[in-house]
Amino acid sequence: MPAMAQGRDPILIPEISQHEVVVRQGFTGADLLLYGAVLQPDGRRAGSDTPYDIVVVLKGPTEAINLREKRRIWGMWINADSAQFRSAPSYYAVASSRPLSEIVDTRTAAIYELGLESLQLSPIGAIRPEEVSRFVAGLVAKRVASGLYVQDEGAVTISEGVLYQARIPLPSSVLTGNYTAETFAISRGRVIASATSEVTVTKRGFERAVELWSREYSLIYGLMAVALSVFMGWAAGRIFALG
């Protein structure tokens, strides 16, 4: 639902091309179009008085995560330091009309989590700030490489000072669940309007049945998976032996 600031601040009216993404067999990902308009309370376009920028953030379900750092000692890779985080977004994408450093300062970016460098992860237990920074940087780099974390500055286009749009990719490896799309209109470093929409990523059919089975009967599912792998290996060996 759109949010309106007090006074003469503009109204942000957001929309999404798909409010539901269905994951089926052979799913290769999807592109979401986030678009909308920024208007003054009296209906005039917001950009007619004060120029503004748009930043769009799409977040997936949060999850607890345990990170382990490997070190090479005497030619062997072994587990070294580790860190646990209470809530890390399984997916995070940010798109903006200009580089974020030109739109907001670091404090505002941290408050609204605008940008990969401003993600606020909650570490569990006593851990030094420099270690938190190192593990967060490692997690971000890993998920950027897999397409689960995206920062695309300049991907938001604004037309006639009213309409905006941005395309955000969802890779095939995204988790199912509720995704939150937050849109911010920013002028002179200040958030003048914001709005939130939701997207649901869900599985249906056979994929959904397998997912539910694996959650509710995890032990049986694991044993069946192992048994199937052993059987497939044995069958392949027999076929090659007969050939």
Side-chain angles (χ1 to χ4, degrees):
M1 295 292 293
M4 188 192 313
Q6 295 180 350
R8 300 292 296 174
D9 284 344
I11 301 170
L12 185 57
I13 306 172
E15 191 51 82
I16 305 177
S17 58
Q18 295 176 254
H19 285 277
E20 183 181 46
V21 177
V22 178
V23 177
R24 301 183 185 276
Q25 186 175 4
F27 177 71
T28 58
D31 278 340
L32 292 180
L33 177 64
L34 288 82
Y35 60 97
V38 184
L39 300 172
Q40 293 287 1
D42 59 8
R44 293 180 298 114
R45 64 184 186 180
S48 60
D49 296 329
T50 304
Y52 63 90
D53 287 284
I54 292 291
V55 179
V56 177
V57 177
L58 181 64
K59 290 181 182 179
T62 59
E63 57 183 349
I65 188 169
N66 185 19
L67 299 176
R68 296 187 180 277
E69 190 176 59
K70 290 185 177 293
R71 292 181 183 174
R72 191 167 185 174
I73 300 179
W74 295 342
M76 297 182 297
W77 288 99
I78 63 172
N79 290 328
D81 296 335
S82 65
Q84 291 181 307
F85 293 92
R86 185 175 293 105
S87 58
S90 58
Y91 175 87
Y92 175 92
V94 57
S96 56
S97 52
R98 287 191 296 153
L100 289 168
S101 60
E102 299 178 9
I103 299 176
V104 292
D105 57 23
T106 54
R107 179 176 177 275
T108 303
I111 291 173
Y112 294 98
E113 291 189 287
L114 304 179
L116 294 174
E117 294 182 354
S118 301
L119 280 176
Q120 304 297 313
L121 307 184
S122 303
I124 300 175
I127 181 171
R128 291 177 297 179
E130 58 271 20
E131 290 184 349
V132 172
S133 299
R134 188 174 79 249
F135 278 104
V136 169
L139 172 64
V140 168
K142 182 178 180 180
R143 293 195 168 179
V144 165
S146 62
L148 290 172
Y149 282 7
V150 179
Q151 182 164 319
D152 196 349
E153 298 174 309
V156 178
T157 59
I158 302 175
S159 303
E160 301 179 357
V162 179
L163 305 176
Y164 70 88
Q165 68 172 19
R167 289 192 179 276
I168 294 182
L170 286 177
S172 59
S173 56
V174 292
L175 293 181
T176 57
N178 294 324
Y179 286 61
T180 301
E182 296 178 284
T183 305
F184 303 91
I186 302 171
S187 178
R188 297 188 177 96
R190 184 175 72 92
V191 174
I192 58 175
S194 64
T196 302
S197 301
E198 291 188 354
V199 179
T200 301
V201 178
T202 184
K203 291 183 179 180
R204 290 183 181 173
F206 176 74
E207 291 78 12
R208 177 63 173 168
V210 171
E211 181 182 39
L212 291 176
W213 177 268
S214 65
R215 289 180 181 178
E216 296 180 9
Y217 306 99
S218 57
L219 177 59
I220 298 176
Y221 178 82
L223 293 174
M224 289 181 63
V226 171
L228 181 60
S229 298
V230 172
F231 172 77
M232 293 298 292
W234 174 82
R238 293 292 297 169
I239 291 173
F240 282 111
L242 293 175

